[in-house]
């Protein structure tokens, strides 16, 4: 049986204006391997493959990765790129990754966690460089990468705590996976930094892309008293609900404010373009070795430009938290208790990047997950 808590954000499935510049170098959970780099590949002989969990037109997660592929095409016009979208989590995934190898791929990006469906192919293809987004089990020829979304999430949580009149926050979730735990926890911690009585109710819809279910979940959360909703979906379902109901919403992946301009507070936006170009360049030049990389706030993930209805004072307070984080401060310092009242992070202890990445429990105040 699959343990959902051990899967990643996608294991089942242009930074906005004002987002700022790169703040720190990517965090390496595992630094570059001492193994011999894979040999160089002439650009006109190279094949770079992308395997996606959703449609490239989703305006969310997969769209963002597709923009990264387009950046690779622009940087290296002589190489060949191939991609397959909406790959199921089944033996069909294994067949797709095998097909990439048979097509001569020198580098394969799985833009979500495909676990053994990818590992089995990577183990049998040692001359191919593989990448797994939100993966947790690297190999000698398999790198993992993700984004430190918990920091901009905390920042938008500060804004949420200031803007919510009821102190009741809602969250449209997918599955009980680390990215959902870290997202709900970071958001509520940000909100509680300005409103200690804030709470968060989570409704999981068991999907990454289901506009109807996300709309229903958003409606239920607002019906239950939430006046600001957050989530991790790849579409605008709950934003549209918030717009109609006079509530506010923080989104994920991209700037989709046009679906609810009055409700839109901000979004956790992702940008893989530079990362993909850098990795492909290393592969072409014969410098590629496996790593485990977390792209930082300002260097792959950030908050989007504030929505039109976000008051100036709210912007200032939230951005003050962002500046502190940019300066090296971490909001994730104990004492932190879980939803059952147990102390999980002792007083004075700072959570590591690895602990934040693998967060698999809810803090006090989060319900429903």
């Amino acid at each position: 049986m699959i343990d959902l808590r051990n899967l990643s954000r996608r294991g089942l499935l242009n930074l906005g204006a004002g987002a700022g510049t790169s703040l720190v170098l990517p965090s390496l959970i595992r630094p570059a391997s001492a193994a011999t780099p894979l040999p160089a590949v002439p650009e006109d002989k190279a094949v770079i493959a992308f395997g996606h969990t959703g449609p490239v037109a989703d305006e969310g997660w997969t769209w963002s990765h597709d923009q990264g592929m387009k950046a690779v095409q622009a940087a290296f016009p002589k190489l060949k790129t191939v991609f397959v979208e909406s790959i199921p989590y089944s033996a069909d995934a294994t067949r797709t990754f095998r097909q990439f190898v048979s097509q001569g791929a020198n580098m394969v990006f799985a833009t979500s966690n495909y676990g053994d469906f990818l590992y089995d192919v990577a183990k049998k293809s040692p001359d191919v460089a593989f990448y797994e987004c939100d993966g947790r089990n690297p190999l000698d020829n398999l790198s993992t990468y993700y984004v430190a979304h918990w920091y901009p999430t905390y920042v938008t949580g500060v804004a949420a705590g200031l803007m919510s009149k009821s102190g009741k926050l809602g969250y449209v979730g997918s599955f009980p996976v680390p990215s959902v735990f870290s997202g709900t926890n970071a958001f509520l911690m940000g909100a509680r930094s300005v409103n200690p009585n804030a709470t968060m109710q989570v409704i999981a819809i068991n999907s990454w892309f289901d506009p109807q279910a996300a709309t229903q979940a958003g409606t239920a959360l607002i019906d239950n008293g939430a006046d600001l909703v957050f989530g991790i979906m790849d579409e605008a379902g709950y934003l549209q609900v918030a717009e109609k109901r006079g509530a506010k919403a923080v989104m994920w992946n991209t700037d989709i404010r046009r679906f609810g301009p009055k409700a839109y507070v901000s979004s956790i936006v992702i940008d893989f373009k530079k990362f993909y170009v850098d990795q492909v360049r290393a592969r072409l030049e014969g410098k590629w070795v496996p790593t485990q990389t977390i792209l930082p706030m300002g260097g792959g993930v950030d908050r989007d430009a504030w929505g039109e209805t976000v008051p100036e004072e709210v912007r200032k307070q939230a951005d003050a938290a962002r500046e502190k984080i940019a300066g090296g401060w971490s909001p994730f310092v104990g004492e932190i208790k879980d939803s059952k009242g147990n102390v999980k992070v002792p007083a004075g202890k700072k959570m590591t990047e690895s602990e934040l990445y693998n967060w698999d429990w809810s803090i006090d105040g989060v319900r429903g997950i």
Side-chain angles (χ1 to χ4, degrees), residues 149-151 153-155 157-158 181-191 332 359 363:
H149 63 87
W150 35 88
Y151 294 118
T153 295
Y154 181 92
V155 172
V158 173
F181 284 105
S182 58
T184 52
N185 292 341
F187 196 72
L188 183 59
M189 288 177 72
F332 306 112
W359 214 338
I363 65 167

Side-chain angles (χ1 to χ4, degrees), residues 49-54 56 82-87 96 99-100 103:
F50 291 81
H52 301 305
T53 188
V56 297
V82 296
F83 74 93
V84 174
E85 55 190 338
S86 301
I87 300 174
T96 297
Q99 181 180 4
F100 287 153
Q103 290 175 312

Side-chain angles (χ1 to χ4, degrees), residues 16-27:
T21 57
S22 181
L23 303 173
V24 293
L25 294 174
S27 172

Side-chain angles (χ1 to χ4, degrees), residues 217-241:
T219 299
L221 290 167
I222 293 174
D223 285 345
N224 288 334
D227 59 358
L228 193 149
V229 290
F230 182 39
I232 198 168
M233 296 298 102
D234 291 344
E235 36 69 31
Y238 69 86
L239 174 61
Q240 293 171 309
V241 172

